[in-house]
C-alpha cells in the first residue's frame, strides 16, 4: 500500500489533476470575489471582508493541503508559550521575516491555518502580481499592498493600504520581506558591498534589509496594530529533500524550524533613524540565530538567545475536506468532458482536449518555475539603494 502511495505522489497525471482543480477553482473564486467587490463592498466593507475571508481560505487551503497532508511536512515553532497562547491568531500583527527559501510563504500559510488565520494572510507584493489570474487576482480583491519599488509612489500606497487593513474586523497578519528578494550568493555579495560602503553591520546569511518600506508602514499602524512579529525560518541544510515546491508536489516531507518573537509596538523607536537601526539590529539577531542553527542544528547554542522549547502545531483535517470537495466539484465534470472530447473521434475536439491539458500543464510548470530561487527577481543584484531611509 505504502509503495503504491509513493508512486501516486510522483505521478505526473496526479499533478496535472491538482493543477486542473486549483486553477479552475481559483477562477471560480476570483469571479465570486469580483462580484462581491462590486456589489457588497460598496454597501458593507465589513460583510465583504467576512465573506472574502472564506473565499481566500478555500483557495489557499489547496496549497496548504500539499504541504500539510500530501507531503506530511512539519513546522516546529520556537516561541514564548505565554505569548503564543495569549496573542497568536488573536491580534493584528506586522510580520517581519527572512526571504531565503522557495516555500517560505507557504510555510507561513500552513502556520496561519493552524491558528485559524489563513483567510487573513496579507503581504507586500510586486504590483505586476495583481494582474495574474487566481492568486494575483485573489490578492487584489483582498487588499494586499502592491508596490512598484519606486518609493515616492509606494509611500502613498503604503499609508492608504495599511490604514485600510488595520480596520479589518478580524485579526490579520501583514507579511514583509525587508530583504526585497530571495537570498542568493550573487545578491549577498552586492548586499555586503553596500553594507561595507556605508559602515553597516555585515550579515552572513541574509541580505541587507530595505528599511524605507518598513519605516513608512509604522505611522499608519500606530494605535491599531499592537505588535511586530520577528520571524526567522530555517531548514536543516544536510537533508536530501530541499524545501522547494517540487519537493512538496512529489509528496516528500520537510521540517520547518520557525523562531518567532513578539515585539510590542510601543517598544519600536519613534524616529526614522532609530527605526532603521531597529530593523537592522533585528536582522543582526536573525543572523546570529541562523549561524547557530547552521553550525549546530539549534537556534540557541551559539546565538546567546534564551532557549525555547519548540511547539509542534497540529495540522487541521478541514484542509482535507476542502480538497475533496473541490476535487469532486471540478474533476468530475472536467474528466467527463475531456473523455467526451477524446472519444468523439473528431480531430478538432481531440485537439481542443489536448490543448486544455497542455494549458494546465503549462500553468503548473510556470507556477513552480516562478517559485524557484533561480527565477527570482534581479532586485539587489547589480545595484543598491543610495538612501537607506
Amino acid at each position: 500500500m505504502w509503495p503504491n502511495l509513493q508512486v501516486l505522489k510522483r505521478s505526473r497525471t496526479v499533478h496535472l489533476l491538482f493543477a486542473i482543480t486549483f486553477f479552475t477553482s481559483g477562477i471560480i473564486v476570483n469571479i465570486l470575489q469580483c462580484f462581491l467587490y462590486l456589489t457588497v463592498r460598496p454597501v458593507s466593507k465589513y460583510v465583504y471582508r467576512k465573506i472574502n475571508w472564506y473565499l481566500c481560505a478555500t483557495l489557499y487551503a489547496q496549497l496548504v493541503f500539499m504541504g500539510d497532508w500530501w507531503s506530511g511536512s512539519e513546522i516546529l515553532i520556537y516561541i514564548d508559550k505565554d505569548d503564543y497562547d495569549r496573542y497568536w491568531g488573536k491580534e493584528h500583527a506586522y510580520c517581519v521575516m527572512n526571504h531565503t527559501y522557495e516555500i517560505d510563504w507557504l510555510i507561513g500559510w500552513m502556520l496561519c491555518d493552524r491558528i485559524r488565520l489563513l483567510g487573513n494572510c496579507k503581504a507586500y507584493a510586486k504590483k505586476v502580481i495583481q494582474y495574474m489570474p487566481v492568486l494575483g487576482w485573489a490578492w487584489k480583491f483582498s487588499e494586499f499592498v502592491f508596490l512598484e519599488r519606486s518609493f515616492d509612489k509606494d509611500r502613498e500606497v503604503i499609508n492608504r493600504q495599511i490604514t485600510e487593513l488595520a480596520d479589518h474586523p478580524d485579526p490579520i497578519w501583514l507579511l514583509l520581506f525587508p530583504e526585497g528578494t530571495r537570498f542568493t550568493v550573487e545578491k549577498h555579495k552586492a548586499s555586503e558591498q553596500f553594507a561595507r560602503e556605508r559602515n553597516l553591520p555585515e550579515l552572513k546569511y541574509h541580505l541587507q534589509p530595505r528599511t524605507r518600506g518598513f519605516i513608512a508602514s509604522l505611522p499608519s499602524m500606530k494605535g491599531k496594530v499592537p505588535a511586530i512579529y520577528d520571524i526567522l525560518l530555517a531548514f536543516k541544510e544536510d537533508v536530501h529533500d530541499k524545501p522547494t515546491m517540487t519537493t512538496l508536489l512529489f509528496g516528500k516531507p520537510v521540517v520547518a524550524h520557525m523562531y518567532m518573537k513578539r515585539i510590542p509596538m510601543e517598544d519600536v523607536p519613534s524616529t526614522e533613524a532609530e527605526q532603521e537601526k531597529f530593523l537592522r539590529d533585528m536582522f543582526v539577531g536573525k543572523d546570529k540565530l541562523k549561524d547557530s542553527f547552521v553550525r549546530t542544528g539549534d537556534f540557541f547554542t551559539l546565538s546567546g538567545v534564551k532557549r525555547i522549547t519548540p511547539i509542534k502545531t497540529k495540522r487541521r483535517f478541514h484542509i482535507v475536506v476542502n480538497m475533496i470537495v473541490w476535487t469532486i466539484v471540478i474533476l468530475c465534470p472536467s474528466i467527463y468532458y475531456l473523455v467526451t472530447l477524446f472519444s468523439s473521434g473528431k480531430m478538432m475536439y481531440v485537439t481542443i482536449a489536448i490543448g486544455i491539458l497542455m494549458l494546465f500543464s503549462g500553468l503548473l510548470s510556470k507556477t513552480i518555475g516562478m517559485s524557484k530561487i533561480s527565477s527570482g527577481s534581479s532586485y539587489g543584484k547589480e545595484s543598491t539603494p543610495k538612501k537607506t531611509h
Side-chain angles (χ1 to χ4, degrees):
M1 179 66 180
W2 180 250
N4 291 337
L5 182 58
Q6 293 306 310
V7 171
L8 187 68
K9 289 183 176 183
R10 294 194 297 268
S11 170
R12 297 289 184 178
T13 301
V14 173
H15 299 166
L16 181 59
L17 295 178
F18 267 141
I20 293 172
T21 302
F22 176 72
F23 290 111
T24 305
S25 64
I27 293 298
I28 293 172
V29 168
N30 290 161
I31 292 171
L32 290 173
Q33 287 180 304
C34 182
F35 174 77
L36 293 169
Y37 188 89
L38 296 174
T39 58
V40 176
R41 192 177 188 274
V43 178
S44 175
K45 192 180 294 184
Y46 175 89
V47 173
Y48 169 78
R49 286 169 165 172
K50 284 286 188 178
I51 299 173
N52 192 61
W53 191 103
Y54 291 98
L55 293 175
C56 287
T58 193
L59 181 60
Y60 301 167
Q62 296 178 58
L63 298 177
V64 172
F65 169 82
M66 186 170 64
D68 267 345
W69 294 94
W70 185 251
S71 72
S73 297
E74 297 288 352
I75 305 175
L76 297 178
I77 308 172
Y78 300 80
I79 185 176
D80 181 270
K81 186 63 166 58
D82 291 338
D83 280 351
Y84 181 81
D85 293 337
R86 184 176 180 182
Y87 298 112
W88 253 239
K90 303 177 179 69
E91 65 177 357
H92 292 336
Y94 188 19
C95 302
V96 180
M97 185 174 171
N98 61 311
H99 201 12
T100 309
Y101 306 99
E102 293 180 12
I103 60 170
D104 40 26
W105 57 274
L106 181 54
I107 296 298
W109 282 5
M110 291 164 62
L111 172 61
C112 284
D113 179 66
R114 298 178 189 196
I115 59 173
R116 294 165 172 77
L117 200 71
L118 182 60
N120 265 354
C121 299
K122 314 292 182 182
Y124 298 78
K126 292 182 291 185
K127 187 175 181 179
V128 66
I129 293 178
Q130 69 182 323
Y131 304 111
M132 296 171 56
V134 185
L135 284 179
W137 292 350
W139 293 354
K140 177 63 176 178
F141 291 124
S142 302
E143 303 167 295
F144 274 52
V145 184
F146 289 103
L147 304 177
E148 297 185 36
R149 287 178 173 165
S150 169
F151 187 67
D152 292 337
K153 297 179 181 178
D154 290 339
R155 183 192 293 271
E156 182 180 347
V157 173
I158 289 172
N159 289 334
R160 182 177 68 251
Q161 287 297 103
I162 297 297
T163 301
E164 285 278 319
L165 289 173
D167 287 332
H168 258 262
D170 299 308
I172 67 164
W173 279 12
L174 177 62
L175 174 63
L176 173 69
F177 293 120
E179 293 161 283
T181 185
R182 291 191 185 94
F183 183 98
T184 66
V185 173
E186 183 181 2
K187 294 173 185 176
H188 182 249
K189 288 180 180 179
S191 176
E192 290 314 290
Q193 180 182 350
F194 172 79
R196 288 189 291 271
E197 290 172 354
R198 289 156 181 79
N199 198 30
L200 299 173
E202 294 188 32
L203 303 174
K204 186 176 181 180
Y205 299 99
H206 301 89
L207 306 180
Q208 291 293 327
R210 310 275 172 151
T211 61
R212 292 188 295 182
F214 172 80
I215 293 170
S217 301
L218 293 175
S220 301
M221 294 183 180
K222 189 174 182 180
K224 297 179 179 180
V225 178
I228 291 174
Y229 292 175
D230 177 10
I231 304 174
L232 174 66
L233 176 65
F235 294 87
K236 296 288 181 66
E237 297 189 355
D238 57 353
V239 296
H240 179 266
D241 296 319
K242 301 304 180 182
T244 67
M245 289 295 290
T246 302
T247 295
L248 301 185
L249 185 61
F250 278 80
K252 300 174 182 178
V254 297
V255 179
H257 298 261
M258 185 176 283
Y259 174 83
M260 307 182 75
K261 179 182 177 182
R262 183 182 186 272
I263 304 172
M265 195 60 77
E266 54 265 27
D267 291 350
V268 179
S270 56
T271 68
E272 290 193 0
E274 292 173 322
Q275 289 167 356
E276 179 186 349
K277 184 177 185 303
F278 174 85
L279 181 60
R280 295 196 182 281
D281 288 345
M282 185 187 297
F283 269 80
V284 170
K286 291 181 192 293
D287 222 50
K288 291 179 180 178
L289 287 164
K290 182 66 179 289
D291 183 62
S292 179
F293 187 83
V294 169
R295 294 167 64 185
T296 70
D298 178 90
F299 283 129
F300 310 104
T301 303
L302 303 176
S303 65
V305 176
K306 181 181 177 181
R307 181 171 297 278
I308 301 173
T309 302
I311 300 172
K312 188 175 180 180
T313 55
K314 294 182 179 180
R315 56 177 70 95
R316 301 174 67 206
F317 190 72
H318 84 283
I319 292 291
V320 178
V321 176
N322 180 82
M323 194 71 215
I324 291 173
V325 171
W326 275 119
T327 300
I328 293 172
V329 170
I330 300 300
L331 289 187
C332 286
S334 297
I335 292 174
Y336 171 80
Y337 285 115
L338 285 171
V339 170
T340 300
L341 290 172
F342 276 117
S343 61
S344 67
K346 297 181 179 181
M347 183 58 67
M348 183 179 70
Y349 292 158
V350 173
T351 302
I352 292 173
I354 293 174
I356 292 172
L357 293 177
M358 290 180 64
L359 171 64
F360 283 108
S361 180
L363 287 171
L364 178 61
S365 297
K366 181 66 174 178
T367 301
I368 292 175
M370 288 177 62
S371 74
K372 292 182 178 179
I373 292 176
S374 59
S375 301
S377 74
S378 60
Y379 186 59
K381 281 185 180 179
E382 300 176 354
S383 62
T384 49
K386 295 183 179 180
K387 294 183 180 180
T388 57
H389 59 83

